[in-house]
């Protein structure tokens, strides 16, 4: 463990493909250790005295709370900087902002739109930068998802991991590449017009060759979900794409995760994952608005599946905190 943490010291965490399989698995193993320590009340203040900037251009529940609690558990001070709090890209370039923040903070988390911004922060701040979600990747989500898979199946290699829905979004990109990296049988099951971009599929195929994993992209639900260990979905319309609702509902309704899809897996032990938030009922103003305009009471997953024995979505949400803690501890902390 120590040799790997030395190797990762000072490194930014921007996307899955920047890491080797061993490095990626190390984050998950470290998260398991930190999770157990938290449950046992064993202190793990590996970032004692550090100051961490949390930059959010977009709203967040899980990522913000996970970084905040992880910082405090690790002995660091988190400073939240929302989109109206600093000049980031408005009156001051990202490069100049990175240089200023790097003089004051020991690590920086960024959630926003363009992936380029998090790359510029990493290039110019001189401190580790952690990607809390960009339009292209959501790598801290992948770590939490894989920790949840490992807790349920004891392994990642060979797991039949099926993502259904919008195959072009950041979560799909991250799961496809991350799954291939760790040797999963990873499948994207979506309408052809929402297949992942060719360059993302090529990255995943190259990684799968090295890991012994497998990559499948299909629009056929029966083929996609057959034998699945994990069925994963995400919202049909990502933040900033709200004008596309009618089009996406028409395209993605056959890909809704419902009882019939779970039965089609032929695996009673299949688990259901979702990065959240999910539209599975009418308990949100957003959900009620969609219901009024489009007539749907549930979208990417039915309330029945969301609340079923298959659903591990709240373990998965909790695991955001343990895995984010592992990333910060491994890249900035003292693990001696
Ligand atoms: N899954 C996820 O990123 O959740 P938040 O948007 O609440 O951070």
């Amino acid at each position: 463990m120590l040799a790997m943490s030395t190797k990762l010291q000072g490194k930014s965490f921007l996307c899955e493909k920047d890491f080797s399989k061993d490095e990626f698995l190390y984050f998950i193993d470290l998260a398991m250790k930190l999770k157990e320590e938290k449950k046992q009340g064993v202190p793990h203040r590996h970032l004692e005295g550090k100051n961490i900037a949390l930059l959010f251009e977009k709203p967040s529940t899980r990522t913000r709370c996970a970084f905040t609690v992880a910082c405090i558990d690790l002995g660091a001070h988190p400073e939240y900087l929302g989109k109206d709090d600093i000049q980031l890209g408005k009156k001051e370039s990202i490069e100049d902002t990175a240089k200023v923040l790097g003089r004051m903070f020991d690590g920086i988390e960024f959630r926003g739109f363009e992936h380029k911004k998090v790359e510029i922060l990493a290039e110019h701040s001189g401190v580790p930068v952690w990607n809390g979600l960009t339009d292209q990747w959501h790598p801290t989500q992948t770590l939490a998802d894989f920790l949840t898979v490992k807790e349920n199946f004891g392994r990642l290699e060979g797991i039949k991991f099926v993502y259904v829905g919008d195959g072009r979004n950041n979560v799909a990109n991250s799961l496809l590449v991350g799954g291939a990296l760790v040797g999963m049988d990873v499948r994207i099951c979506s309408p052809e017009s929402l297949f992942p971009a060719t360059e993302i599929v090529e990255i995943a195929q190259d990684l799968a060759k090295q890991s012994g994993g497998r990559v499948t992209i299909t629009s056929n639900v029966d083929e996609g979900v057959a034998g699945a260990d994990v069925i994963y979905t995400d919202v049909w319309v990502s933040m900033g794409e709200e004008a596309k609702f009618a089009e996406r509902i028409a395209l993605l309704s056959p890909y809704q995760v419902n009882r019939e899809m779970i039965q089609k897996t032929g695996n009673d032990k299949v688990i259901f994952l979702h990065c959240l938030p999910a539209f599975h009922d009418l308990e949100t103003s957003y959900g009620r608005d969609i219901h009024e305009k489009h007539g749907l009471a549930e979208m990417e997953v039915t309330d029945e599946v969301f609340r079923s024995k298959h659903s591990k979505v709240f373990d998965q949400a909790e695991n955001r905190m343990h895995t984010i803690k592992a990333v910060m501890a491994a890249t900035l902390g003292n693990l001696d």
Side-chain angles (χ1 to χ4, degrees), residues 56 58-66 111 132-133 138 140-141 145 171 232 234 239 274-277 316-317 320:
F56 281 81
K58 290 181 174 182
S60 162
T61 298
R62 279 144 291 274
T63 311
R64 176 177 175 177
C65 297
R111 162 173 288 207
L133 176 144
H138 198 1
T140 60
Q141 182 69 54
D145 302 341
V171 171
Y232 194 118
D234 190 4
M239 283 183 252
H274 191 308
C275 51
L276 304 182
Q316 184 187 2
R320 295 297 308 285

